[in-house]
Amino acid sequence: MTDTDDSRLGITVLGSTGSIGRQTLDVVRAFPNHFRVVALAARGNIALLAEQAREFAPEIVAYTSDDPTTQAQAAELLPNALHGVDGLTAAATHPAVKTVVAATSGLIGLRPTLDAMRAGKTIALANKETLVMAGHLVMAEARAAGVAILPVDSEHSALWQCLHGERTAEVRRLLITASGGPLRRATLEEMRDVTVEQALAHPTWQMGQKITIDSATLVNKGLEVVEAHWLYDMPYDKIEVVVHPQSIIHSMVEFVDDSIKMQASLPSMHLPIQYALSYPTRLSREATALSHPLSWPAVGHLDFEAVDMARFPCLRLAYEAGRRGGTAPAVLVGADEQAVPLFLRGKIRLTDIAAILEDVLARHTVVDDPDLETVLAACSWAQDEVLRLHGEPTASHERSSL
Ligand code: NDP
Ligand code: MG
C-alpha cells in the first residue's frame, strides 16, 4: 500500500517507550484500520524501541541517548535509527504524519513540537512542560500555522469535551479534579518523613516516576492549571482545583447559569489518548482489548473535597508562577525537574521540593514575553541553581542541544 491510498491517520509517537507512548501504541493496536505509526522516538530504551519498530514497521525510528553502550546497542538492533534531537524533529515532521503525539518527559519535546506545528501537524499533547513553559509561544504558533493542539491529559480532555459547543463567555469556572495523590490524608509531619516508595504509590494512576512524584506534591495539578489557562484562554481566577479521590470525574465546567458539565470514565489514559487521535469521531471499543465501561452501582459514591493549600504549597506556587507569567513558569519547571530526582535519590525530603521551588522562584528576575531561547535559559538557570544549592555538579552541557 502506498501513502496515497492509505486513509489511516499517520502518527508519530515522541516518547514511545514511556507510559503515555506505550498506551498510545495500545490504541493503535486496538484500531489498526484507523491509525498507523509513521515514526517512533525515545531516549535510550533501545530494546523496547526495537520491539516496537518490529511490530509497527515505522518509517523513522529516532533516539537521543549519548551513552556509548546505548549507541552500540542501537547500532546492532536499530541500524537505521536517527540519533539526536534532529531525529525527533525528522520524526515529528515526516510528510506522512498527520498527528504528533508529544509524550516525551521533560523539555526535549518542546522544539520538535514547535517544528511539527510549523509543518502543519496536529499535536496530541501529553507533555506538560511544553505549554507551561512556553504557552504564549506555542499557542501563537498554533494560531499562525492553523493547527490544533488536542489534549491528551485526562483533565484537559475532560474540559475540552465539556466545552464542545459552548461559549467561553458563558463559562464561570473550570474545575480541575485532583485525586489528591498518595498523601491526600497525610499530615505535614507524615509528609516530611514519606519514603520514595510511599510517594510513588499513586492510588489511581500508573504513570512515569517524575509525574507520580509531581502528583504527590500537587506540582502536577499546578502545571495542569497553567496548561488549562493556555489551552482554553481562561484567566487563573476562573480555574479551580477540587479533590476527587476516585478519579472518575476527570474535570468539570461550570457555566453562568449554575449548570455544570462533567466528563466521567474509569481512570485510564487510553480513553483521552484515543479521543485525541480519533476526534471528532468516537470509536467504539466494544470489540477491543481496551473496552472498560463504567458501572455506576460498582462505583457507588463519588467524593469531593477542597485542597488544603497549607499541606500542598506547590499548588499555590504554580498559581503564583502562572499569574506572574513571563519566565516564572519555566523557572518552576526547571527547579522541579531537578528537585524531583534529588528526592528520588534520597538527597532531600519530599517537603523540601516546595521550599526549593519557592526559593529559586524568589531568586529569579522574571523576563516578560520571553522568546524561546530566554525561556530555555531561565529553565536551565533554575535547574543549575537547584543543583548548585545542593552541592551537585551542574549539567548545562547535557541540555545544550535543547
Ligand atoms: P515516562 O517517563 O513514562 O516516559 C517518558 C518518555 O519520554 C520515554 O519514552 C522516554 O524514552 C522519552 N524521553 C525522555 N527523555 C527523552 C529525551 N531526552 N529524548 C527522547 N525521548 C525522551 O513519562 P510519561 O509517559 O508518564 O509522561 C510523558 C509526558 O506526558 C510527561 O510530560 C508527563 O507529564 C505527561 N503526562 C503523562 C501522563 C501519564 O499518565 N503518564 C498523564 C498526562 C500527562 P526512554 O524510555 O527511552 O527513556
Ligand atoms: Mg492529569
Side-chain angles (χ1 to χ4, degrees):
M1 202 186 287
T2 64
D3 280 354
T4 41
D5 58 22
D6 190 343
S7 60
R8 295 175 299 170
L9 185 89
I11 67 169
T12 287
V13 188
L14 300 179
S16 63
T17 53
S19 165
I20 294 290
R22 282 180 275 119
Q23 293 179 84
T24 302
L25 295 178
D26 291 341
V27 171
V28 175
R29 220 175 263 123
F31 298 100
N33 298 329
H34 289 84
F35 310 119
R36 80 165 171 123
V37 175
V38 176
L40 295 172
R43 176 175 38 198
N45 186 347
I46 301 299
L48 180 56
L49 193 57
E51 200 179 305
Q52 294 174 343
R54 266 196 304 279
E55 180 179 355
F56 293 98
E59 311 200 6
I60 294 186
V61 177
Y63 74 102
T64 60
S65 172
D66 289 326
D67 171 58
T69 317
T70 307
Q71 288 191 307
Q73 196 190 10
E76 191 191 327
L77 296 178
L78 290 166
N80 298 321
L82 304 178
H83 178 244
V85 73
D86 291 348
L88 298 192
T89 295
T93 57
H94 187 284
V97 170
K98 279 288 281 181
T99 297
V100 173
V101 180
T104 47
S105 50
L107 318 174
I108 191 85
L110 183 52
R111 266 191 214 279
T113 301
L114 286 166
D115 291 334
M117 287 162 62
R118 285 184 200 113
K121 313 300 185 193
T122 301
I123 307 297
L125 186 65
N127 177 269
K128 308 207 167 185
E129 290 78 2
T130 302
L131 272 184
V132 172
M133 289 177 44
H136 60 301
L137 301 174
V138 173
M139 295 314 287
E141 195 63 58
R143 275 190 297 275
V147 298
I149 300 178
L150 308 181
V152 163
D153 205 348
S154 55
E155 292 79 1
H156 304 89
S157 181
L159 294 171
W160 179 38
Q161 293 176 63
C162 294
L163 288 166
H164 285 340
E166 303 289 352
R167 295 195 182 102
T168 306
E170 290 167 3
V171 173
R172 182 183 292 148
R173 53 184 180 150
L174 307 181
L175 289 147
I176 299 183
T177 52
S179 70
L183 306 176
R184 180 171 62 94
R185 292 241 176 264
T187 61
L188 261 177
E189 276 293 287
E190 288 163 345
M191 280 172 153
R192 268 171 49 84
D193 294 329
V194 79
T195 63
V196 169
E197 203 180 29
Q198 287 166 333
L200 283 175
H202 197 281
T204 50
W205 295 102
Q206 286 291 320
M207 307 178 286
Q209 283 203 341
K210 162 76 167 49
I211 184 174
T212 306
I213 299 304
D214 284 347
S215 299
T217 58
L218 291 202
V219 162
N220 180 55
K221 211 45 58 180
L223 301 182
E224 290 179 358
V225 166
V226 180
E227 284 186 286
H229 162 78
W230 288 114
L231 279 171
Y232 305 117
D233 195 20
M234 279 287 148
Y236 286 98
D237 293 347
K238 291 187 168 191
I239 308 174
E240 289 177 30
V241 175
V242 59
V243 175
H244 164 48
Q246 291 92 354
S247 301
I248 297 284
I249 305 298
H250 300 302
S251 278
M252 331 179 199
V253 178
E254 182 180 300
F255 298 92
V256 288
D257 60 358
D258 300 342
S259 178
I260 297 178
K261 277 164 82 173
M262 40 184 100
Q263 187 262 342
S265 73
L266 289 174
S268 156
M269 288 308 295
H270 287 126
L271 178 56
I273 294 169
Q274 175 183 324
Y275 190 59
L277 294 180
S278 73
Y279 174 79
T281 304
R282 287 189 185 271
L283 297 176
S284 168
R285 293 177 162 201
E286 268 155 41
T288 74
L290 302 181
S291 182
H292 203 37
L294 182 153
S295 154
W296 286 113
V299 170
H301 63 96
L302 298 174
D303 299 308
F304 298 93
E305 19 181 284
V307 183
D308 179 355
M309 289 285 197
R311 283 187 305 127
F312 294 103
C314 290
L315 182 58
R316 167 180 58 80
L317 292 168
Y319 266 104
E320 284 172 11
R323 284 196 166 98
R324 179 59 191 85
T327 45
V331 166
L332 180 90
V333 165
D336 188 59
E337 189 83 10
Q338 292 303 335
V340 169
L342 286 177
F343 170 67
L344 288 171
R345 295 207 307 276
K347 303 264 178 179
I348 60 169
R349 294 169 188 270
L350 187 81
T351 42
D352 292 335
I353 294 177
I356 289 173
L357 301 190
E358 185 141 35
D359 184 29
V360 175
L361 278 164
R363 288 163 188 268
H364 177 64
T365 307
V366 175
V367 178
D368 286 314
D369 201 19
D371 60 15
L372 186 59
E373 300 312 320
T374 310
V375 164
L376 292 172
C379 180
S380 194
W381 170 83
Q383 297 196 47
D384 285 347
E385 199 68 1
V386 172
L387 295 172
R388 196 179 59 72
L389 292 168
H390 288 84
E392 300 272 321
T394 57
S396 305
H397 59 283
E398 283 178 15
R399 300 189 293 271
S400 56
S401 61
L402 284 174

